[in-house]
Amino acid sequence: MAGQGENILCIDIGGSHIKGTVIDYDGDYLHPYEREDTPSPPSPENIVKLVVSLSQRFSHFDKVTAGFPGYVKHGVVKTAPKLGNKMWKDFDLQEELKNKLKKPTLVINDADFQGLSLAEGNGVEMLITLGTGFGSALLLDGMLMPHLEMSQHPITKNKNYNDYLGQAALDKIGEKRWNKRLEKVIGILKVVFNYDHLYISGGSAKLIDFKLDQNISVVDNREGIKGGMILWKQFNEE
């Protein structure tokens, strides 16, 4: 079991970058934040190799958590829309990292990873991430709800949320139309989830140009990596 004095290697795997640091049980950063471009092709072999390489930059850690951009069930990747579904389907990333790093390891969806860090534990809290694609996490009183892969849900006749708000869409339609789309999506989420607070993260969040409700916050996605420590705490309480 994780406890006082144990340090957690937290890895955030993204469509564009892979980031990592070591955090202690109180949530304090023990090492500078490290970042590398996601390898091409983003195969399981290449991703695991880069994570192992990143881990060697840190002097000591006791446990590992990783956030992955797709649907993850019990550490096994089911979908990976940002990295190539066929390469990743049914790949046991949790077991592979555990074996390579020789440490107890937990792997969950990357938005869930961030949501754990940002949630204050007050009612229904939701996180959406705006970057290479679209991510989401839903929490109730600080505890993760079953993951919904909102990125793959249709929002128009021929577009899902990834297609509608991801980086490719932003590049194609420009910031003005992209903001209109985001306003529409927030309106949908407000009605469907009736959240008490919505957090917006990711590289494109800085482009928001419309007034947000008081219960919506734009947050630094770097803070989301602390979810790796919180995940181990909750795991040990079960």
Side-chain angles (χ1 to χ4, degrees), residues 49-97:
K49 183 178 179 180
L50 182 53
V51 170
V52 171
S53 176
L54 269 178
S55 75
Q56 293 169 350
R57 301 181 191 180
F58 306 111
S59 58
H60 173 75
F61 54 90
D62 303 287
K63 288 179 166 60
V64 180
T65 50
F68 182 85
Y71 193 93
V72 180
K73 188 173 184 179
H74 306 306
V76 178
V77 175
K78 296 300 181 180
T79 65
K82 302 174 194 174
L83 300 178
N85 276 320
K86 290 183 179 179
M87 290 188 291
W88 283 93
K89 184 171 173 52
D90 295 324
F91 182 77
D92 195 338
L93 181 58
Q94 183 167 287
E95 188 66 19
E96 185 70 13
L97 290 178

Side-chain angles (χ1 to χ4, degrees), residues 24-211:
D24 69 14
Y25 200 66
D26 295 318
D28 295 322
Y29 290 85
L30 301 181
H31 290 274
Y33 204 88
E34 297 280 351
R35 186 175 87 161
E36 292 289 342
D37 292 342
T38 300
S40 180
S43 64
E45 180 183 5
N46 287 342
I47 295 285
V48 169
K49 183 178 179 180
L50 182 53
V51 170
V52 171
S53 176
L54 269 178
S55 75
Q56 293 169 350
R57 301 181 191 180
F58 306 111
S59 58
H60 173 75
F61 54 90
D62 303 287
K63 288 179 166 60
V64 180
T65 50
F68 182 85
Y71 193 93
V72 180
K73 188 173 184 179
H74 306 306
V76 178
V77 175
K78 296 300 181 180
T79 65
K82 302 174 194 174
L83 300 178
N85 276 320
K86 290 183 179 179
M87 290 188 291
W88 283 93
K89 184 171 173 52
D90 295 324
F91 182 77
D92 195 338
L93 181 58
Q94 183 167 287
E95 188 66 19
E96 185 70 13
L97 290 178
K98 177 184 174 182
N99 290 338
K100 286 287 194 297
L101 299 174
K102 304 189 186 311
K103 302 288 183 181
T105 300
L106 296 173
V107 177
I108 61 171
N109 171 266
D110 58 344
D112 285 345
F113 193 81
Q114 289 190 43
L116 276 171
S117 175
L118 297 166
E120 296 183 356
N122 300 320
V124 177
E125 295 173 274
M126 189 172 192
L127 164 76
I128 61 173
T129 61
L130 306 171
T132 307
F134 178 94
S136 66
L138 190 66
L139 300 97
L140 178 62
D141 297 330
M143 300 296 292
L144 278 174
M145 301 294 286
H147 183 70
L148 301 174
E149 191 65 359
M150 289 287 294
S151 68
Q152 300 305 295
H153 192 276
I155 186 170
T156 70
K157 185 177 180 179
N158 57 3
K159 289 183 174 64
N160 59 29
Y161 281 69
N162 263 355
D163 303 325
Y164 199 65
L165 286 174
Q167 185 64 48
L170 175 60
D171 293 341
K172 182 177 180 179
I173 66 175
E175 293 182 23
K176 184 176 180 180
R177 287 182 61 194
W178 181 86
N179 270 278
K180 290 293 184 184
R181 288 185 176 187
L182 180 58
E183 276 193 280
K184 176 183 176 180
V185 165
I186 290 174
I188 293 170
L189 299 178
K190 183 176 181 179
V191 172
V192 172
F193 295 100
N194 195 26
Y195 52 75
D196 294 296
H197 201 97
L198 174 67
Y199 303 93
I200 303 177
S201 174
S204 299
K206 64 180 180 293
L207 302 177
I208 296 173
D209 65 4
F210 55 91
K211 183 175 176 58

